[in-house]
Amino acid sequence: MISPRHIFRLAMVAAVLLLVPAIVAEARADGIAGSSGIEIPIRVRSGHVYVDVEINGKGPFHFLFDTGASNVLTPEAAKRLGLPVRNNVDVTGTGGTQAAGSTMVDSLQLGGVTLANQTFYVLDLPPGASDEVPVDGLIGFEVLDRFPVRLDYAGATLTLYTGKDARYTGPAAPARLSFRGRTPQIDGKVDGIDGRFTIDTGSTGSLTLSAPFVTDHDLATHYHARTRVMSARGIGGPVYALLARAELLDLGTATAKRPVTFLSQQRAGTSARKDTAGNIGFGVLRQFTIFFDYPRKQIYFQPNADWGQPDLADRSGLRLERSDQAFAIAFVAKGSPADAAGLKAGDHIVTVNAAPSSTQTLEDVRKLLKGPVGTHIPMISDHGPVVVVLADL
């Protein structure tokens, strides 16, 4: 998720909503009354939601769907489109603040919906932000703010309800949404402690608790958290946290048991905000089909087949990123199995389990590194063979 800092002080050009023919699904089957839905296929990979869009009639461009994001283009995508870029804004993300530019596009088309005269912010996305999937930008708030949206992780679809009377009529109860800027938030509790939590489809984690919230409630001591990890690489830089596991996240109308929990160590960025308890990401959200109703400030969580399934944590201490034909080690947790095996940040892994890294995906290797305690994972780095023996961190 990114939260623009000075972005919203800029004059914004009002968007004009245009509807064009599209495949229409029967809305009432989804628990929605008052509107048919425009169903759009998505890809869910490594905790990210990807959707294809067209810009100025060109594409497809591959975008991340991020509930709190403004429109974002990478510099490469802006260049391909021939768009002029003004270097005039800063953006703040989980890792801190970085400089960015802005531009205008005539049209943004998502499925059968076109938004006209859109401001886009132009910035480099961090390495590893989208793992191995090429990504041209982010989309989120501008779509969600105009009409209700149904995100079905299990069915890999995003459905837009364009009728002005569209409303949820399914079995889930409504929870109230509030907004910090353009970021959706919900009141809840983590292990009985009240807080306000961001709903973040752009986060690959499960639950990240902000540094001030962690300090105020002495959560590092409470959870016996001892291992410092790189939990993400976000806008503004890498994000560091202590690894823990809460017992219960209670959002009033939905619960998640024993989510993997990052206790933020950040001093800057969105994970260091005092007015937010934490951030809820993929590991929790994937357990639900979610109906976002920004216009009515409501959200509905309908459990799917993944609800209550164990939320697995990394047991290696490695933060890996793709680098050409190998996996680059971005971080090694001190005292972790990877540390014990002699691996270091900057090393490259060329084989995992006797298979070349070039034939494996990051997603598959990360799943492997969440395996049972005691599992031996042979690897070959650019310094020679090692064996990582998985253990709880």
Side-chain angles (χ1 to χ4, degrees):
M1 178 201 64
I2 66 168
S3 295
R5 189 177 185 180
H6 301 307
I7 281 174
F8 305 119
R9 298 177 186 173
L10 301 177
M12 302 293 288
V13 178
V16 179
L17 180 62
L18 304 172
L19 299 184
V20 297
I23 298 173
V24 176
E26 173 54 51
R28 289 186 184 276
D30 294 338
I32 310 300
S35 175
S36 294
I38 300 172
E39 188 174 280
I40 302 164
I42 60 173
R43 298 179 304 283
V44 181
R45 184 168 174 181
S46 294
H48 282 128
V49 176
Y50 298 91
V51 64
D52 287 345
V53 306
E54 291 187 1
I55 298 175
N56 291 351
K58 300 178 181 179
F61 291 90
H62 309 300
F63 272 41
L64 288 171
F65 179 72
D66 184 339
T67 43
S70 294
N71 295 331
V72 171
L73 278 172
T74 64
E76 294 79 12
K79 184 176 180 179
R80 283 163 54 196
L81 286 161
L83 297 172
V85 178
R86 298 172 56 201
N87 296 315
N88 58 350
V89 295
D90 294 326
V91 296
T92 299
T94 53
T97 299
Q98 72 180 62
S102 66
T103 191
M104 292 291 300
V105 306
D106 296 329
S107 66
L108 165 68
Q109 185 170 342
L110 175 64
V113 173
T114 299
L115 302 180
N117 301 322
Q118 289 284 291
T119 298
F120 269 78
Y121 302 100
V122 181
L123 68 150
D124 289 307
L125 297 178
S130 60
D131 294 327
E132 296 158 306
V133 178
V135 63
D136 299 304
L138 309 177
I139 191 173
F141 180 85
E142 279 78 5
V143 172
L144 288 158
D145 191 47
R146 284 166 174 77
F147 33 73
V149 173
R150 180 179 184 265
L151 173 58
D152 183 352
Y153 281 98
T157 58
L158 190 71
T159 306
L160 313 182
Y161 297 94
T162 57
K164 65 179 181 179
D165 296 324
R167 64 188 185 281
Y168 179 85
T169 59
R176 181 181 177 275
L177 278 179
S178 58
F179 291 87
R180 178 175 54 77
R182 299 189 168 196
T183 303
Q185 297 188 320
I186 186 172
D187 290 337
K189 297 180 180 182
V190 57
D191 290 337
I193 306 172
D194 292 323
R196 181 160 291 176
F197 299 88
T198 296
I199 304 296
D200 187 2
T201 61
S203 168
T204 61
S206 298
L207 175 64
T208 301
L209 299 179
S210 69
F213 187 79
V214 170
T215 299
D216 289 347
H217 299 284
D218 195 19
L219 295 183
T221 300
H222 177 78
Y223 291 122
H224 307 288
R226 63 184 186 279
T227 303
R228 183 176 181 264
V229 298
M230 183 191 291
S231 59
R233 189 188 287 273
I235 300 296
V239 181
Y240 299 100
L242 296 177
L243 182 62
R245 189 180 289 275
E247 289 298 320
L248 182 67
L249 175 65
D250 185 352
L251 301 178
T253 62
T255 59
K257 296 180 180 179
R258 294 185 55 76
V260 175
T261 304
F262 293 125
L263 309 182
S264 174
Q265 302 285 286
Q266 295 298 105
R267 295 184 178 180
T270 57
S271 293
R273 294 189 65 97
K274 295 181 179 180
D275 57 359
T276 302
N279 191 78
I280 300 169
F282 173 77
V284 170
L285 300 179
R286 68 176 176 85
Q287 302 178 46
F288 303 91
T289 296
I290 305 172
F291 183 76
F292 297 94
D293 192 347
Y294 280 25
R296 295 183 179 87
K297 295 183 171 58
Q298 292 179 328
I299 187 170
Y300 299 80
F301 297 95
Q302 189 166 320
N304 61 27
D306 286 332
W307 185 77
Q309 295 298 310
D311 188 17
L312 302 178
D314 172 73
R315 287 180 164 136
S316 70
L318 286 171
R319 174 77 183 185
L320 297 177
E321 296 173 351
R322 173 62 73 184
S323 175
D324 295 326
Q325 301 299 305
F327 296 120
I329 299 178
F331 183 81
V332 177
K334 186 176 181 180
S336 69
D339 187 31
L343 294 172
K344 300 184 184 301
D347 290 351
H348 290 78
I349 304 298
V350 295
T351 73
V352 180
N353 261 356
S357 297
S358 60
T359 67
Q360 304 182 70
T361 67
L362 262 176
E363 184 174 29
D364 288 341
V365 171
R366 285 172 178 166
K367 288 179 180 177
L368 187 68
L369 298 178
K370 295 178 180 179
V373 170
T375 300
H376 286 59
I377 310 292
M379 302 180 180
I380 297 179
S381 78
D382 42 12
H383 298 297
V386 298
V387 176
V388 175
V389 183
L390 302 184
D392 287 330
L393 302 181

